[in-house]
Amino acid sequence: MSAPRVLFIGGTGTISSEASELAVRQGLDVTLLNRGLSSLHTVPAGARALQADMRDADSVRDALGRLEFDIVVDFVAFSTAHVQQDIDLFSGRIGQYVFISSASAYQKPPARLPITESTPLRNPFWQYSRDKIACEDLLVTAYRDTGFPTTIVRPSHTYDAASIPLAGGWTAIDRLRRGVPIVLHGDGTSLWVLTHSRDFAKGFVGLLGNPQAIGESVHITSDEVLTWTQIAEALATAAGVEAKIVHVTSDVLAAADPDQSGGHLGDRSHSVIFDNSKVKSLVPGYVATTPFALGAREIIEWHDEHPLHQVVDPRLNELYDRLVAAAG
């Protein structure tokens, strides 16, 4: 029997790169289709790489040619137009289509915890999340009406060594190391779940070609629950310093930095705990095994080894200075 043929649209991002590598290691026939622009993650050995602009259907058709696939995964669809293009391209030609949605689509604020896949989808604070919900609605309709073989995957806050989960990224780490306070939303006690991309990959690859996953929505997260203060302290410890933190309400943060208001008000300000029973039933043995204390050390070590990625944003620095001063 030949290996399942899998097309990853994207495949070299924070969430997808580990999944691409694991899929190859598990013997899948993997093709990556993207613009070939990633400088952080490379195409895994053993995978085929194609280049195209996914927003141009003709470019995609030219790149794919006569290639056929059993499974298509779209990591970079963010609007109904993107998803409709996939439906038009792949209807009747594949056995499974996997859409990468987002756990931010779940009801905000959540009426109850833990969050399960049956938690309502509603996020009035963040357009990104509303767009993902609209994509899901389109796919559910396509599955019901025509049998388009959809699987919806909702990652939560997934990271790897190159991504820093604090707002501000390296700017926050630089402030920690300079002994300057960083800013956290609320009082720092809201609960959060961080999932390393290699843990996400274990659950995700187990869904590929899994007939029980067709027509289903599944989130894949760690079972470790942390406060935002604990997250900041873990990064500070990994950076060899003590965390100095000033707490600012989410409303004040959103007003001060409107570009990030969706993430503040529609995501990070709400406590989340996820019930991972469903992915564990579909992928027996799935468990996230990377605690954030280890992930934080990997993040700092990677950035210390890659000084070009130690980018400090002067605008954010000035904003944080003002917020710290205003907090007294």
Side-chain angles (χ1 to χ4, degrees), residues 5 40 42 55 60 64 85 119 131 169 226 264 279 289 305:
R5 299 161 298 180
L40 294 178
T42 59
R55 306 288 78 90
V60 174
L64 295 180
Q85 177 179 297
T119 296
D131 289 342
L226 301 166
H264 286 310
V279 67
T289 56
E305 293 170 1

Side-chain angles (χ1 to χ4, degrees), residues 123 125-127 250-269:
N123 190 332
F125 306 100
W126 200 1
Q127 187 61 47
S250 295
D251 287 339
V252 168
L253 273 174
D257 192 6
D259 290 343
Q260 299 299 317
S261 63
H264 286 310
L265 299 179
D267 208 23
R268 290 185 290 269
S269 63

Side-chain angles (χ1 to χ4, degrees), residues 124-162:
F125 306 100
W126 200 1
Q127 187 61 47
Y128 164 81
S129 304
R130 295 196 294 275
D131 289 342
K132 288 290 190 180
I133 293 170
C135 291
E136 289 198 27
D137 289 343
L138 178 60
L139 286 165
V140 169
T141 298
Y143 173 67
R144 289 174 177 167
D145 291 351
T146 68
F148 188 67
T150 298
T151 299
I152 294 169
V153 174
R154 300 180 185 129
S156 186
H157 194 156
T158 306
Y159 71 96
D160 64 9

Side-chain angles (χ1 to χ4, degrees), residues 6-11 16 19 31 33 71-76 86 90 94 96-100 151 153 204 208:
V6 183
L7 174 66
F8 281 4
I9 300 172
S16 58
T31 298
L33 175 67
I71 305 160
V72 171
V73 182
D74 198 331
F75 289 95
V76 294
D86 287 348
F90 300 114
I94 58 175
Q96 184 184 31
Y97 172 84
V98 184
F99 171 65
I100 306 301
T151 299
V153 174
F204 177 77
L208 301 182

Side-chain angles (χ1 to χ4, degrees), residues 8-130:
F8 281 4
I9 300 172
T12 56
T14 298
I15 292 177
S16 58
S17 59
E18 289 277 2
S20 301
E21 293 196 11
L22 182 58
V24 171
R25 291 201 302 272
Q26 292 194 358
L28 280 67
D29 181 350
V30 177
T31 298
L32 272 58
L33 175 67
N34 54 48
R35 292 178 295 170
L37 300 178
S38 175
S39 60
L40 294 178
H41 306 99
T42 59
V43 175
R48 179 191 295 110
L50 303 174
Q51 290 190 16
D53 179 359
M54 272 309 298
R55 306 288 78 90
D56 182 342
D58 290 335
S59 172
V60 174
R61 290 190 184 94
D62 290 343
L64 295 180
R66 295 182 179 274
L67 292 173
E68 296 183 354
F69 300 96
D70 303 299
I71 305 160
V72 171
V73 182
D74 198 331
F75 289 95
V76 294
F78 301 103
S79 73
T80 53
H82 301 164
V83 170
Q84 186 62 57
Q85 177 179 297
D86 287 348
I87 294 172
D88 295 340
L89 281 170
F90 300 114
S91 284
R93 300 175 56 190
I94 58 175
Q96 184 184 31
Y97 172 84
V98 184
F99 171 65
I100 306 301
S101 185
S102 170
S104 70
Y106 285 123
Q107 180 187 58
K108 298 295 184 304
R112 61 178 180 174
L113 297 173
I115 293 169
T116 72
E117 284 80 0
S118 62
T119 296
L121 303 183
R122 182 179 184 271
N123 190 332
F125 306 100
W126 200 1
Q127 187 61 47
Y128 164 81
S129 304
R130 295 196 294 275

Side-chain angles (χ1 to χ4, degrees), residues 167-232:
W170 185 258
T171 302
I173 305 302
D174 176 72
R175 291 178 71 89
L176 287 170
R177 280 187 161 168
R178 289 190 291 115
V180 178
I182 63 169
V183 173
L184 284 186
H185 61 277
D187 62 2
T189 63
S190 59
L191 303 176
W192 200 244
V193 176
L194 295 170
T195 308
H196 198 290
S197 60
R198 64 171 163 259
D199 286 330
F200 173 85
K202 291 185 289 186
F204 177 77
V205 174
L207 297 175
L208 301 182
N210 186 334
Q212 294 183 328
I214 303 300
E216 298 286 350
S217 301
V218 188
H219 56 238
I220 305 172
T221 81
S222 171
D223 291 319
E224 181 181 44
V225 179
L226 301 166
T227 68
W228 278 99
T229 294
Q230 288 174 320
I231 292 169

